[in-house]
Amino acid sequence: MLSRAKISPGGWPYYCNGVMVGDGHRPAGKPLRAAQGEAGVPPGFWTGRGLAAVGLTAGDVVTERQAELLLGEGRHPDADRIERERLEAGDDPSTARRATVLGRPIEHNQSPETEKARKRSPWMAMDLVFRAPSTAQIAWALLDDVTRQVLELCQDIARDKTLAWVETAVAEIRWGSGGKHRCPVKDGLIVAVFRHYESRAGKPLLHDHAVVSIRTRRPDGKGTWGNLSADSVLEHIVAAGTLYSLFFMEEVSARLGWAWEPREVTPGRRPVMEIAGIDQRLIGWQSTRRQQIADLLPALIAGYEQAQGHPPGERAAYALDRQAADRTRPPKRKVPRSLSELREGWLQSAIRAFGACTVYRLAQRAREAAAAVWARVRPTVDMALAAVDVAAVVYVMRGAFKRRHLLAEARRHLAHTLRGRPHEPGLDEQVVQTVIDDYTRPAGRTMMTPARCAVSSWPWTARLRYVIRCSASPYGDCPSTAANSEAPREN
C-alpha cells in the first residue's frame, strides 16, 4: 500500500520531531541521532538520481540540518557553508542567503504583494509511505530473524523500484504561469527515507516514509532550479501503489517460496492480496487500527449519503477512509523500545491470543499453502483476457478514465493472476495499450471511454464479470463476487 501527505514549511517541525524518530516523541534539545537510537529506528538515508546536483551520495545518512534546509526551507543541504563562503567573499547577507535557495524562495509565497498570497500554502516536499500487506507484517513480526531480514530486503527492493518508476515515468518539472510548461525532470529526484517498525496502536507495521523534495533542476542547461509538478506525482499514486505491491509480492515469492491469494477486506471493495496460509485471525490482531477505522466508516458513509444523495465514489470513499483514520488516531507512544523488544512483545501477545501452535507453524503453513496454490493456479497472462478484464473494471468504476487508471488496474490484474510469480518488464504497459487500441475511444483531450461496441464484443467471461460488478458494487469497485467469478482461470 502507498499513501501520500503534503509537507509545507509550517509542517516541517512535525516531521523533524516525530517522523524522523519513528513516529515517536522527541524531547526538546535531544540530538536527532540520539533520539533515533532511543526509539529503536535506523537513521534516515538519502536516495534518488538527483542527489549529485546537491553534492549528496545515495546511502548518506540524513542529518537534521540537511533535512531542515532542503525539505523544510527549499535550500541547498550545505547552505551553511555556501552562505559563509559568500559572506567571506564580500556579499551582503541577503545576497549570500539567496545563493543557497534552490528555485523560488518560500518567502515569495508568503509576501502580501504576491497574488492570492493568503490562499497559497507552498509545498516543500511530499511524504510517500510504503506499507507491506498485513500478512507480510505478521510474518515479519513473528518469524525468525532470517525471515525478518528477507522481508525487509523485499521492502527495500519494492520501494526502490517504485521510486525509480516515479522518477523516470511520472516526475515532471513545471514552470511558467500556472505551470503551463512541463517536461520530465533532468537529474531525478532527491528523497530522504525513514524506516518505522510499529503503528500508533503498538502493533507491527513495517513501513517507510520516502520524503521527496519538491526542488529539482530545470532542463535549461543553466543549472537553475524549479519545482516538481506535485499533481503529476499525486495523480499516479494509485498506479505507483499497485506497482509497489506487485514488486513486493514477486520478491517475497522468489526469496521465500510463498504464494498469494485474494482476501476481501470491505464488502463491495476490491480484494487485497495476502500471503496464503497465514491464519486470518492474526490479521485482526495486527490490524487493530484498521478495525477501528472500519467500525467508524459506516457512520461516515451514511452521513455522506444523506448529504450528497448518493453513495461515495472511489475518491470520496478514500477521503472518508482518511477521515476515519484521523478521528481514531491514538496518541504517539512516548516510551521507546528497540526492535528486538518489540518483536518479543508481539510474539508473546500473539501466543497468548492464539496459542503457540498457531504462531510457531506460520512458516510451515505458508509453504504448504503455497504448494496448494501453485498446484491449482496457472500463473500465465492471457493478453486478450487481461485487456477485457481491465477495460470492464475501469469502465464500471469510472465510465470515462485516463491511461493511469488503466495502468493501475492492469497491475492489479497481474498481481491476482500471477500470485507472486514475476512478470515480464513492460507487460503492464502492453495490457494498457491493448485496452486503448481495441476497446476505447476518445472522450476529451485526455479522457477515454469504451468504444461503442466494446462491451458486446467482449468474450462471455468478461461480460459476466462486467454484469456482476455493475449489479453488486455500491461504490463501483470490484466486489468479492467478481473475484469469485474468475475461478475458472485457476486450473
Side-chain angles (χ1 to χ4, degrees):
M1 179 179 177
L2 177 60
S3 61
R4 82 306 186 262
K6 169 184 176 180
I7 302 177
S8 61
W12 177 247
Y14 166 80
Y15 275 82
C16 187
N17 296 318
V19 172
M20 291 176 67
V21 292
D23 277 337
H25 176 74
R26 179 185 177 188
K30 183 174 286 294
L32 174 62
R33 190 65 197 98
Q36 290 170 332
E38 286 188 0
V41 297
F45 63 90
W46 293 106
T47 187
R49 289 190 295 109
L51 292 173
V54 291
L56 295 173
T57 304
D60 284 352
V61 171
V62 178
T63 69
E64 181 175 2
R65 185 58 177 160
Q66 287 174 339
E68 179 184 9
L69 288 168
L70 180 60
L71 304 176
E73 301 178 10
R75 300 169 65 194
H76 195 287
D78 199 13
D80 292 337
R81 177 189 59 80
I82 296 172
E83 189 171 0
R84 184 174 61 253
E85 292 176 351
R86 296 298 293 263
L87 289 171
E88 292 173 352
D91 286 351
D92 60 82
S94 62
T95 302
R97 186 183 189 284
R98 182 65 182 86
T100 68
V101 177
L102 306 180
R104 175 178 291 175
I106 59 176
E107 292 84 1
H108 175 84
N109 296 85
Q110 300 166 347
S111 170
E113 289 76 25
T114 303
E115 182 184 1
K116 299 180 181 178
R118 293 182 180 180
K119 297 181 180 179
R120 294 188 177 185
S121 178
W123 288 69
M124 298 311 303
M126 64 183 75
D127 181 12
L128 307 181
V129 185
F130 295 82
R131 294 192 293 271
S134 294
T135 43
Q137 304 284 356
I138 293 166
W140 169 79
L142 301 181
L143 294 180
D144 58 85
D145 270 336
V146 173
T147 303
R148 173 186 64 81
Q149 293 169 3
V150 170
L151 289 169
E152 290 179 6
L153 176 61
C154 295
Q155 168 80 351
D156 291 338
I157 294 172
R159 179 203 63 227
D160 291 345
K161 285 185 174 181
T162 304
L163 286 174
W165 176 78
V166 171
E167 192 171 46
T168 58
V170 174
E172 296 178 321
I173 188 172
R174 59 178 175 83
W175 70 95
S177 178
K180 62 182 179 181
H181 301 298
R182 302 190 181 200
C183 69
V185 296
K186 176 185 177 182
D187 300 311
L189 303 178
I190 302 174
V191 187
V193 178
F194 302 95
R195 170 152 293 178
H196 296 172
Y197 295 133
E198 61 177 324
S199 69
R200 284 178 177 251
K203 292 301 177 67
L205 186 63
L206 174 67
H207 63 289
D208 294 323
H209 290 261
V211 183
V212 182
S213 171
I214 206 74
R215 305 301 196 193
T216 184
R217 284 207 296 187
R218 291 174 177 162
D220 54 11
K222 301 178 182 179
T224 57
W225 290 76
N227 285 344
L228 189 69
S229 175
D231 56 344
S232 297
V233 177
L234 299 181
E235 286 174 351
H236 288 81
I237 283 295
V238 176
T242 53
L243 182 63
Y244 160 72
S245 297
L246 189 60
F247 282 142
F248 186 82
M249 290 170 57
E250 291 177 358
E251 292 298 327
V252 170
S253 294
R255 297 174 186 278
L256 294 173
W258 297 344
W260 298 77
E261 60 185 2
R263 178 178 71 89
E264 181 185 74
V265 178
T266 304
R269 303 287 294 275
R270 284 184 184 84
V272 298
M273 301 302 293
E274 299 284 4
I275 298 170
I278 300 292
D279 195 311
Q280 298 291 295
R281 295 175 300 167
L282 287 168
I283 295 178
W285 166 80
Q286 184 268 335
S287 302
T288 304
R289 288 277 294 120
R290 185 70 255 173
Q291 187 58 50
Q292 293 171 344
I293 293 170
D295 292 341
L296 180 59
L297 265 179
L300 296 179
I301 292 173
Y304 179 94
E305 292 177 346
Q306 183 177 4
Q308 304 296 329
H310 59 80
E314 184 179 34
R315 180 173 295 183
Y318 176 82
L320 292 174
D321 191 81
R322 299 310 306 160
Q323 185 178 348
D326 290 340
R327 290 190 182 183
T328 58
R329 188 185 300 270
K332 293 180 179 180
R333 173 179 55 81
K334 295 187 177 182
V335 180
R337 287 181 292 173
S338 67
L339 178 57
S340 59
E341 292 174 325
L342 289 171
R343 279 169 47 83
E344 180 61 27
W346 294 330
L347 180 65
Q348 297 305 320
S349 172
I351 290 175
R352 287 194 301 270
F354 307 107
C357 182
T358 297
V359 174
Y360 288 123
R361 293 188 62 194
L362 275 177
Q364 177 187 343
R365 287 174 174 167
R367 289 191 296 269
E368 292 170 351
V373 169
W374 301 133
R376 77 173 189 274
V377 176
R378 185 177 63 225
T380 57
V381 178
D382 183 317
M383 185 61 66
L385 186 59
V388 295
D389 189 64
V390 169
V393 173
V394 176
Y395 174 52
V396 170
M397 286 174 56
R398 296 182 173 274
F401 44 84
K402 296 185 178 182
R403 184 183 182 93
R404 66 175 184 268
H405 302 131
L406 297 174
L407 186 58
E409 196 57 45
R411 290 166 175 170
R412 290 190 185 99
H413 177 91
L414 294 179
H416 183 276
T417 301
L418 298 176
R419 306 297 179 88
R421 293 301 196 210
H423 72 284
E424 296 178 9
L427 185 58
D428 49 354
E429 296 282 359
Q430 292 179 37
V431 173
V432 170
Q433 196 58 50
T434 301
V435 175
I436 293 174
D437 292 342
D438 297 345
Y439 299 112
T440 67
R441 60 182 175 85
R445 189 170 63 88
T446 60
M447 303 295 288
M448 295 173 276
T449 194
R452 196 161 297 166
C453 300
V455 175
S456 61
S457 67
W458 290 341
W460 72 268
T461 51
R463 293 202 300 274
L464 174 62
R465 285 191 292 276
Y466 170 81
V467 171
I468 290 174
R469 286 172 170 87
C470 284
S471 61
S473 176
Y475 305 113
D477 288 325
C478 170
S480 60
T481 49
N484 294 337
S485 72
E486 297 173 350
R489 288 192 216 168
E490 303 185 7
N491 52 36

